Amino acid sequence: METLQSMPDGLTVGFEATGGQEWALWGVLISMGLNAVQLPPAQIKAFALAMGKRAKTDQIDAELIARFMAFRPEAGRTLPDEKLQFLRALTVRRAQMVEARKRLSAQISARRKQGVSAELEDMDSSLKAFLESQISELEQRIESVIGEAEELSAKAELLRSIPGIGPVSVAMLLAEMPELGRMTATEAAAMTGLAPMAHDSGAMRGKRVISGGRRSLRHVLFQAGLAAACHNPVLKAVAKRMKERGKPHKLVIVAIARRLITIANAILKTGVPWRISSAA
């Protein structure tokens, strides 16, 4: 603590994301009046490879992070306010409950094929009902948190105007991507891991793939892309044209999801609800 307190003014402290364990440190640094940013591990790893660093120790990691921040001073994520932190905690918990329900459904299906007893069927039904109630309660609390904050509520209303983006997508975008509306379309697509990455060398043209970004957001936006490909009047036509050109189903949905996030970014930037020209 004494070392941190003796740091000069204007200094920025950077650290890698570590699955949520860094949040306590983050809060302490901010409370001490220090600038603190969370850095994506994938970018630090890529930077290390570019620097020719393959060994890994705490000292080497600290030096790499410092050099990365000097090279990319704009990189990093600032600490969300308390309302966003709580919203994020709720959305993470909901995702965990949904995943547990998905695993339970798969187990129930497998046990039925094996001819399980009625007693186990009752236990499965009780557990599934409990998960359903937990998910419903979390969704109500998420809606309540968004509705109580004027800025979040205004953003949510704009996002809901986009056909294909439902309540779950809205909550995830608000919680996991507070920067949305303050970045370029390319940055928005890259942050969600929906930007196609080139793999070319000389005359060889490799297959474009998506990678990186915030995984939880990419999953939710893929589901939103499925909905938009059926119900968004503009993006439905885009999906149809791509399918007619023989594009694989997954590629079509990823392309629609990428358009959705760029549309959402533009709408939050302008403050104007979706209309057909928004997706043109």
Side-chain angles (χ1 to χ4, degrees):
M1 286 294 183
E2 292 181 3
T3 302
L4 291 173
Q5 291 171 343
S6 64
M7 286 184 174
D9 294 338
L11 195 68
T12 299
V13 178
F15 50 85
E16 291 183 87
T18 57
Q21 298 181 52
E22 74 282 1
W23 284 77
L25 168 66
W26 206 351
V28 170
L29 293 172
I30 296 297
S31 69
M32 295 176 65
L34 295 169
N35 296 322
V37 294
Q38 180 196 64
L39 301 167
Q43 292 188 19
I44 302 297
K45 183 178 180 180
F47 185 72
L49 293 174
M51 295 284 293
K53 297 282 188 180
R54 297 189 178 275
K56 182 174 176 61
T57 66
D58 289 344
Q59 184 175 351
I60 291 173
D61 286 350
E63 180 184 350
L64 279 170
I65 289 173
R67 291 192 177 190
F68 176 80
M69 291 177 67
F71 179 69
R72 290 279 310 282
E74 81 287 355
R77 183 183 187 186
T78 56
L79 181 68
D81 61 31
E82 289 187 9
K83 187 73 74 173
L84 275 178
Q85 288 183 51
F86 184 49
L87 178 60
R88 183 179 184 276
L90 290 173
T91 57
V92 169
R93 186 60 176 164
R94 182 196 173 279
Q96 291 169 344
M97 291 292 99
V98 169
E99 182 61 27
R101 182 180 63 184
K102 180 180 177 182
R103 288 199 302 270
L104 177 62
S105 295
Q107 291 164 4
I108 290 173
S109 177
R111 281 196 287 269
R112 283 175 177 168
K113 291 178 181 177
Q114 298 165 4
V116 298
S117 67
E119 182 180 348
L120 285 180
E121 284 276 4
D122 291 342
M123 292 173 64
D124 286 338
S125 297
S126 296
L127 181 53
K128 189 171 183 179
F130 171 74
L131 291 173
E132 294 282 4
S133 68
Q134 288 286 293
I135 292 169
S136 178
E137 182 181 340
L138 284 165
E139 289 174 347
Q140 290 174 19
R141 296 187 71 182
I142 286 169
E143 284 297 316
S144 177
V145 169
I146 293 173
E148 290 169 0
E150 185 177 346
E151 183 180 356
L152 288 179
S153 182
K155 286 184 175 182
E157 187 174 354
L158 288 170
L159 291 172
R160 289 191 192 106
S161 72
I162 307 170
I165 294 187
V168 174
S169 301
V170 168
M172 288 295 292
L173 286 170
L174 294 176
E176 296 288 345
M177 205 171 175
E179 309 93 335
L180 196 63
R182 302 193 302 270
M183 57 180 67
T184 66
T186 301
E187 289 170 340
M191 188 168 288
T192 54
L194 292 171
M197 301 298 174
H199 291 269
D200 299 340
S201 180
M204 187 274 290
R205 292 295 177 265
K207 183 179 179 181
R208 267 57 175 168
V209 297
I210 59 171
S211 63
R214 296 174 186 170
R215 183 176 177 274
S216 57
L217 268 177
R218 186 166 66 250
H219 175 74
V220 168
L221 286 169
F222 186 85
Q223 299 302 315
L226 285 169
C230 295
H231 304 294
N232 187 301
V234 174
L235 298 184
K236 181 178 180 179
V238 173
K240 182 180 178 182
R241 288 196 297 270
M242 292 184 71
K243 290 175 182 176
E244 288 173 348
R245 295 202 302 270
K247 300 297 183 182
H249 175 71
K250 186 175 180 179
L251 187 150
V252 172
I253 301 306
V254 167
I256 297 302
R258 184 163 58 249
R259 288 218 182 189
L260 273 179
I261 195 64
T262 57
I263 292 168
N265 184 61
I267 282 175
L268 290 185
K269 188 176 291 187
T270 61
V272 179
W274 185 91
R275 51 180 181 266
I276 290 181
S277 60
S278 302

